[in-house]
Amino acid sequence: MKCPSCQNNSTRVLDSRPVDEGRSIRRRRECEKCSYRFTTFEKVEEIPLIVVKKEGTREEFNRDKILRGLIKACEKRPVALKELEAITSEVEKELRSQGVSEINSDRVGEMVMDRLSQIDEVAYVRFASVYRQFKDLNVFIEELKELIKKEQS
């Protein structure tokens, strides 16, 4: 590993710790020439997962986009960031375990909404209204009726 300060190739590892639920390793390193300390992360290289959008375009799966959407939906709601990160991780894990290289954005959104509905109903409706692009009040009311039906069963 090259030192970011002096570009020397000789560094030593001072400390290694698992991070990101054991999917990465954080290493503290020190340059043997200039004694500069820095952090590196080691992560398993995964096969890219491509999301096929509604209009047919394709883009690489981005867990940060899901997390940002969840954070926005949960604004001013009593939902911890840890819960939202857990939803994001669960969805990504399930998608990668399916062994496919492409997935429809509809499927991703449904997976997120299924989990969010169990945590906070208001956040679920907010997320669904953006994700499903409610056209008018009637569509919104239908979604609420479905949510109430689920709650009662």
Side-chain angles (χ1 to χ4, degrees):
M1 181 65 60
K2 231 182 218 185
C3 172
S5 179
C6 72
Q7 306 304 310
N8 182 37
N9 279 329
S10 184
T11 62
R12 63 188 164 110
V13 175
L14 302 174
D15 182 41
S16 291
R17 294 180 188 197
V19 291
D20 197 19
E21 297 174 359
R23 297 185 323 192
S24 301
I25 297 176
R26 176 186 182 271
R27 298 193 194 279
R28 276 304 280 165
R29 297 178 178 268
E30 181 177 58
C31 176
E32 292 179 345
K33 181 179 177 188
C34 71
S35 299
Y36 180 76
R37 290 184 176 197
F38 59 100
T39 302
T40 60
F41 291 89
E42 186 177 312
K43 189 175 181 178
V44 171
E45 189 174 7
E46 295 173 328
I47 297 169
L49 182 61
I50 305 300
V51 177
V52 181
K53 308 290 267 183
K54 292 174 185 170
E55 63 277 356
T57 59
R58 288 168 164 70
E59 66 180 50
E60 192 166 348
F61 175 81
N62 184 345
R63 64 181 280 120
D64 292 335
K65 282 180 79 173
I66 293 174
L67 186 57
R68 280 194 307 271
L70 287 169
I71 290 169
K72 192 75 172 160
C74 293
E75 227 169 64
K76 298 181 182 180
R77 298 297 304 155
V79 181
L81 182 59
K82 271 190 180 274
E83 290 180 283
L84 303 180
E85 289 170 341
I87 289 173
T88 305
S89 293
E90 287 171 16
V91 168
E92 182 178 16
K93 185 178 178 181
E94 186 176 330
L95 290 171
R96 293 196 183 279
S97 70
Q98 292 176 1
V100 295
S101 58
E102 288 189 358
I103 188 90
N104 286 333
S105 62
D106 290 344
R107 179 71 185 122
V108 177
E110 293 299 326
M111 291 169 70
V112 171
M113 287 191 298
D114 287 346
R115 287 164 173 82
L116 188 56
S117 68
Q118 297 168 13
I119 292 175
D120 189 280
E121 292 172 342
V122 172
Y124 164 79
V125 171
R126 286 178 179 171
F127 190 91
S129 69
V130 172
Y131 175 73
R132 292 198 175 133
Q133 300 173 339
F134 292 163
K135 303 279 188 263
D136 58 31
L137 193 56
N138 292 327
V139 178
F140 191 79
I141 291 169
E142 287 303 315
E143 187 68 32
L144 290 174
K145 286 179 182 176
E146 285 298 316
L147 187 60
I148 291 167
K149 231 188 273 182
K150 280 183 188 176
E151 184 76 20
Q152 292 173 347
S153 57

